[in-house]
Amino acid sequence: MGNFHPFRFGVTSHLADTKEAWIAKAQRAEQLGYSVLILPDHLSDQLAPGIAMALAAEATQTLRIGSCVFNNDFRHPAMLAKEAATLDFLSGGRFELGLGAGWQQVDYERVGIPFDPAGVRISRLEESVQLIKKLFTEEVTAFSGSYYHVKDYHGLPKPLQHPYPPIMLSGGSKRMLSLAAREADIITINPAVKADGNTVEMLDAMPEVTARKIDWIREAAGERFAAIELNILVFEVVITEDAPLEANTEVTGVAADITGGQALQGIYVFVGSVDQICEQLQANRERFGISYISVFEKDMEKFAPVVARLSGK
């Protein structure tokens, strides 16, 4: 595929028992060499992402902060742009703005927000991204779309990063990934959402499906494809010095959703020694171009030797 982005690594966290514990998590992620602390945006038992990111940035020196991802339907884009620019300003330019169309139906049901069809949610997100970029870069913004209308609005503060913080879009469908290919600096490639609206379809995480999704991105991005950073959120990490484990050995949680006894090993699940996992990540970058790897907090410590070996390379 030619030139690759250097490896970087993020850790996803969402909760702590105390303020001091949250600060310690952020500082530990920085000590271990992770590039980004990432917060989701759900109406479940988690910290409010914007406030938690601001505190994490204040407690660290180089650690970047990012959303994975702000649900577009929870906030008007003008309000989100203000919050994002403030986070970028207060963090000294260490913020990454992750956006999504919303996918977990239970979030909507809890607070009575209509859960529109995916096509409507994606259309609304597309308009939101366009408006947020204008708010970041224009002195006075006017915008009239199908979903959002802004008139004579001075979008302040402006972000510290120019022209704006890196924008990450997350999704798994062809339409969502094509939108990301046109608009995003970073793309998180997800498995598709099941019909229940609350869980993901792990069959959609197989390598051949991932390759097809990257083809969609490449086609829609055109010449800008080489500049896009591709991200994967790893569901499970098992470090073992033995031979690679059988299909579902020690693999739990969402990663245990397997078919035909075959584990989703190698992209969303990593089982093996540090050497083997490093080799697999390098092979994935060679094949898919995936260079930005995120893990859940539960795997932060065990994955740290991989981070130490590959970060920046």
Side-chain angles (χ1 to χ4, degrees), residues 20-226:
E20 291 75 19
W22 178 250
I23 288 173
K25 287 184 183 185
Q27 292 174 336
R28 183 58 176 161
E30 184 175 59
Q31 291 167 0
L32 292 174
Y34 287 91
S35 174
V36 192
L37 178 66
I38 304 160
L39 276 91
D41 185 29
H42 291 291
L43 299 179
S44 55
D45 187 16
Q46 71 153 89
L47 297 171
I51 298 169
M53 282 188 279
L55 183 59
E58 182 66 18
T60 56
Q61 299 298 315
T62 61
L63 187 70
R64 297 180 68 79
I65 51 173
S67 52
C68 188
V69 287
F70 279 126
N71 184 330
N72 181 63
D73 289 339
F74 291 170
R75 303 164 188 83
H76 190 284
M79 300 305 296
L80 181 57
K82 177 179 280 290
E83 183 171 344
T86 300
L87 282 167
D88 196 52
F89 175 76
L90 293 178
S91 68
R94 288 186 278 149
F95 176 61
E96 298 178 5
L97 175 57
L99 295 167
W103 69 275
Q104 202 162 39
Q105 187 171 352
V106 67
D107 280 342
Y108 290 75
E109 293 172 345
R110 282 171 175 152
V111 293
I113 298 174
F115 188 65
D116 292 325
V120 174
R121 285 180 279 121
I122 294 172
S123 293
R124 195 157 47 226
L125 175 64
E126 183 170 16
E127 216 172 89
S128 180
V129 173
Q130 294 167 0
L131 174 53
I132 287 170
K133 287 183 175 181
K134 289 171 68 70
L135 291 166
F136 281 157
T137 57
E138 296 179 349
E139 183 176 350
V140 181
T141 297
F143 184 90
S144 182
S146 299
Y147 304 98
Y148 303 110
H149 302 273
V150 170
K151 181 175 68 174
D152 300 329
Y153 181 69
H154 293 254
L156 296 171
K158 296 300 185 188
L160 200 60
Q161 297 178 85
H162 295 286
Y164 39 73
I167 292 177
M168 179 177 76
L169 294 180
S170 172
S173 70
K174 183 175 184 179
R175 184 180 173 197
M176 185 64 220
L177 291 173
S178 297
L179 167 62
R182 296 189 300 271
E183 299 287 354
D185 305 293
I186 308 164
I187 299 177
T188 296
I189 304 167
N190 293 328
V193 180
K194 287 184 177 180
D196 65 8
N198 291 303
T199 56
V200 295
E201 176 55 74
M202 294 308 292
L203 277 177
D204 201 56
M206 303 300 282
E208 59 271 21
V209 180
T210 301
R212 182 167 69 246
K213 292 184 179 189
I214 292 169
D215 285 341
W216 295 341
I217 295 169
R218 183 183 291 106
E219 179 182 359
E223 292 183 356
R224 71 185 302 271
F225 178 76

